[in-house]
Amino acid sequence: MVEEAFTTSVVGSFPRPKWLIEAFERFNRGEIDKEEFEEYLDDAVKLTVKEQEIVGIDVLTDGEQRRTSFVAFVGQKIPGFKVMHINEINPQGIEIMRQYKAPLTYYRPVAVGPIEDKPFTVDEASFTLSITTRRVKVTIPSPYLIMWEAWHSKYSKDNFKDPESLAEQYSKLVRAEIIRLRDLGVHFVQLDEPMLGDLIEATENEPDRYRKVLELLNGQKYRGFKNELALARDLINETIKGIDGIRIGMHMDRWPNPDSPFYGIGYERLAPEVLDIKVKQYVLEYASPGSGDPVKFAQMLGREKELGLGVIDVRKRDIETPQQVIARVEPVLRVLEPRQIWLNPDCGFSPGMFRRFERRIAFSKLRSMVEAAKILRSRYVGG
């Protein structure tokens, strides 16, 4: 089928309408009640889903409209976590972040008590499924990410003696959630794993800039390049082991600074361990400068896995033409079949509540991507 070649999707977040951000602020000030606030959230999801349908996205998300950030929402939805401002965690938090040129969200989830198994994305997915006939993707922060983000030497140690014990407990929650989402009818669960992608910038003894920041903020210690890779692999594999009937992917970020010695080096640096992760699809950034050559990673995939190829730069406002998108896809066709290549933006357009990105530009970028997919299908699969 034509739909199986060059499937189009999004990574997660879509820019929030200005009126939704204002509603968040009014709700936090107690100026509107929960029922009215929920109406704003529902309307924002309807708008985002409709825009993706109009553009022609094959597998869509709710745009993460209900989430304050792609990771902090865990602190709002799962008992045992608390959302804290970065300067509450460490009075020098923002300054540390600037020092290492590592932009993190200011509000962060911290494990402060025993965490409980409770559905934390099912409500979002249920609503999205009720308003579209398209296939739906749901994004979930991975256990390895939560381990680095949420374990704190002061706030977490009474309940989790070390970061690994938090990761193991959270992985059980994620496993249960994936099964619930599958049974609900969700097509695709994407585990968000920026910390694994950031590891490209690390060496055996020296952590990358994000881990340097989190070491200072949370009191964690870097385990060494190989040990970090193995831990991330094992946590994800244990989480998804034996789950079938739903597509499971993993998204890795790649935000290298131009002065990085690893600028231009891609995800192949994480091999072979990253290839042992039992996901169906790797959703990867390749449109932004310095991300590396997708052909190098594609050559390692074989015929059973898929590449969610980042073809839209979410940091620049310039709108790609369909021809520019096609030029990013065609080299990968030398090693992968059309059915193995999905087209998506590099990352979410607005992974945090206050990241400003014009909706009209995001819409136009997705429209170019979908048009490129149509051309590619006609050129390579005859549809």
Side-chain angles (χ1 to χ4, degrees), residues 72-238:
F73 87 98
V74 167
Q76 299 164 305
K77 299 293 287 286
I78 300 178
F81 289 98
K82 178 184 177 182
V83 176
M84 301 175 68
H85 191 276
I86 195 168
N87 278 352
E88 182 183 359
I89 298 169
N90 185 315
Q92 301 301 313
I94 293 177
E95 184 55 39
I96 292 168
M97 191 171 68
R98 288 173 180 160
Q99 177 187 346
Y100 288 100
K101 301 178 184 177
L104 301 173
T105 54
Y106 287 173
Y107 288 94
R108 320 193 55 71
V110 178
V112 297
I115 59 176
E116 303 174 19
D117 181 18
K118 175 186 176 183
F120 58 102
T121 64
V122 166
D123 56 341
E124 299 174 352
S126 296
F127 184 81
T128 307
L129 288 166
S130 75
I131 60 172
T132 186
T133 58
R134 301 280 173 99
R135 290 170 287 176
V136 169
K137 173 196 283 189
V138 173
T139 59
I140 298 178
S142 82
Y144 181 67
L145 170 64
I146 289 297
M147 179 193 75
W148 267 101
E149 290 271 344
W151 188 89
H152 193 283
S153 58
K154 175 183 176 181
Y155 300 109
S156 307
K157 208 159 189 178
D158 287 347
N159 295 284
F160 303 100
K161 60 183 177 60
D162 52 37
E164 292 87 346
S165 58
L166 169 62
E168 290 168 6
Q169 183 61 30
Y170 175 73
S171 72
K172 295 175 183 176
L173 273 63
V174 174
R175 179 178 178 82
E177 189 75 350
I178 293 173
I179 292 171
R180 286 189 283 258
L181 291 171
R182 177 199 64 188
D183 295 345
L184 193 64
V186 168
H187 177 77
F188 193 157
V189 164
Q190 174 185 290
L191 298 175
D192 285 332
E193 193 38 274
M195 290 302 293
L196 184 52
D198 294 332
L199 200 58
I200 295 170
E201 306 270 323
T203 64
E204 182 56 40
N205 298 314
E206 183 76 10
D208 59 273
R209 57 195 164 118
Y210 288 98
R211 283 174 182 77
K212 288 177 181 177
V213 169
L214 290 172
E215 281 185 333
L216 293 170
L217 288 179
N218 294 349
Q220 286 197 52
K221 298 299 180 185
Y222 181 58
R223 300 163 184 80
F225 184 77
K226 287 293 185 182
N227 287 336
E228 293 285 347
L229 267 177
L231 178 57
R233 175 199 63 200
D234 293 346
L235 282 169
I236 295 174
N237 283 345
E238 189 63 29

Side-chain angles (χ1 to χ4, degrees), residues 4-44:
E4 294 175 348
F6 307 111
T7 302
T8 59
S9 190
V10 291
V11 172
S13 61
F14 199 75
R16 295 161 185 84
K18 181 180 179 182
W19 48 260
L20 178 61
I21 295 173
E22 292 171 350
F24 267 100
E25 294 170 337
R26 292 172 61 202
F27 178 69
N28 289 334
R29 292 194 299 263
E31 296 173 3
I32 58 175
D33 60 23
K34 184 170 175 44
E35 183 177 357
E36 184 177 353
F37 180 52
E38 289 291 338
E39 278 193 47
Y40 279 108
L41 292 171
D42 288 350
D43 287 347

Side-chain angles (χ1 to χ4, degrees), residues 29-61:
R29 292 194 299 263
E31 296 173 3
I32 58 175
D33 60 23
K34 184 170 175 44
E35 183 177 357
E36 184 177 353
F37 180 52
E38 289 291 338
E39 278 193 47
Y40 279 108
L41 292 171
D42 288 350
D43 287 347
V45 173
K46 289 175 184 176
L47 174 62
T48 301
V49 166
K50 178 55 67 176
E51 287 181 324
Q52 291 175 79
E53 289 178 341
I54 291 170
V55 167
I57 296 295
D58 298 312
V59 181
L60 52 79
T61 73

Side-chain angles (χ1 to χ4, degrees), residues 275 298 316:
L275 299 169
K316 293 183 178 178

